[in-house]
Amino acid sequence: MDQHRQTPARRRRRTRAEQKLQTRNALIEAGLMNFSRDGYHGASLEEIADTAGFSKGAVYSNFGGKAELFLAVLDHNLSTLRGEDWDPLAPAGSTGADRAPLPAEVAGDRDRAEQLVRGFELATLEFITTAARDDTLVPALRIRIRTLLDAYERVASDHRAPDEALAGDEVAQLMAALEQGVSVLALSGVASVDGSLLRLGMRRLLGDSTGDTGRPGDTSLLPTVEQVQRLLDDSSVETDASE
């Protein structure tokens, strides 16, 4: 027997907390895919669990139901796509993050990413109309809207004109309203506003009339397709099918 033969390093066993977090993240990713495809009302918890590789019981072990799972997907999107370095005024592809390599499974599938963007926007509208009529969900909805407004207020503060008369939170509300209005126009199919025109409109709200008016044809909604593609990559986790 070779006494110099090395014993393989023992693989560290995941703690119960780590397993639970991985399961939760897998369900959030599956929720994003299923809500985008089937809508908020059309998506089923059974199919979401199956997509993630778990039983329906795993959903209820991590979330109180469909609404709580959808809120978790919203939270993940907000934290991933609207972080501290988010700048909706920057041209698409102008930052290092925008140039990050895309995962092989979605890098060449722009149609899939665009469908995901559109589908989740529609599901979010469904959820908002439902939550706004449910006194138990209104507080949670307001928290997420506040998070969105806070992200815009950071942008407004960074780009605020010296002679701007409106308060930062007022500018943030107008910027968010413009973005959401553009989304509704696009989702309805009535009209389409490309990304450069949307950025130009936001600059005008900030009192900046010097923004790019050439308006190259980047037509994706906010969040951009590239951001959603990265979201898919960032949220993918290794799941334990035995859980």
Side-chain angles (χ1 to χ4, degrees):
M1 182 175 179
D2 186 359
Q3 296 181 350
H4 298 287
R5 192 175 186 180
Q6 292 185 345
T7 302
R10 179 175 296 179
R11 187 176 180 181
R12 187 180 72 86
R13 189 171 184 176
R14 287 176 297 170
T15 66
R16 182 62 185 166
E18 290 172 333
Q19 292 175 349
K20 185 174 180 65
L21 179 60
Q22 287 188 328
T23 300
R24 178 183 173 86
N25 289 341
L27 290 168
I28 289 173
E29 181 183 358
L32 172 63
M33 302 300 294
N34 282 264
F35 286 130
S36 299
R37 185 190 65 210
D38 302 328
Y40 175 69
H41 294 300
S44 72
L45 294 182
E46 291 92 345
E47 191 159 358
I48 290 172
D50 185 67
T51 299
F54 303 108
S55 67
K56 186 178 177 181
V59 178
Y60 287 107
S61 294
N62 289 273
F63 306 99
K66 185 190 285 190
E68 190 172 318
L69 173 56
F70 192 87
L71 287 169
V73 177
L74 274 180
D75 289 341
H76 187 65
N77 283 0
L78 286 169
S79 64
T80 304
L81 301 175
R82 308 297 175 109
E84 293 292 336
D85 59 347
W86 174 67
D87 186 356
L89 303 182
S94 64
T95 65
D98 287 334
R99 295 193 296 269
L102 300 175
E105 64 269 23
V106 296
D109 196 348
R110 185 177 181 86
D111 288 343
R112 177 188 171 203
E114 287 179 339
Q115 289 171 2
L116 187 68
V117 171
R118 178 182 173 85
F120 195 72
E121 291 274 1
L122 286 169
T124 300
L125 289 177
E126 283 184 71
F127 179 77
I128 289 174
T129 57
T130 298
R133 294 186 175 93
D134 187 333
D135 290 341
T136 64
L137 290 176
V138 166
L141 179 61
R142 286 176 177 167
I143 290 173
R144 275 71 186 182
I145 297 299
R146 184 69 259 172
T147 299
L148 176 64
L149 292 176
D150 287 345
Y152 266 116
E153 192 165 355
R154 290 196 302 270
V155 173
S157 177
D158 290 341
H159 296 274
R160 185 181 180 83
D163 57 349
E164 176 59 65
L166 293 175
D169 62 332
E170 294 175 324
V171 176
Q173 291 175 37
L174 291 173
M175 294 177 74
L178 177 59
E179 177 193 340
Q180 297 306 309
V182 164
S183 295
V184 171
L185 286 177
L187 292 170
S188 68
V190 173
S192 178
V193 176
D194 66 38
S196 59
L197 178 58
L198 178 55
R199 288 193 297 274
L200 180 60
M202 289 185 177
R203 286 188 179 278
R204 294 290 172 84
L205 286 174
L206 290 165
D208 178 4
S209 60
T210 63
D212 177 27
T213 58
R215 293 172 49 198
D218 53 329
T219 58
S220 59
L221 298 174
L222 293 178
T224 67
V225 169
E226 287 76 14
Q227 286 174 313
V228 174
Q229 287 174 324
R230 289 198 305 278
L231 174 63
L232 287 174
D233 186 40
D234 293 341
S235 62
S236 61
V237 295
E238 179 185 351
T239 60
D240 185 349
S242 65
E243 291 183 65

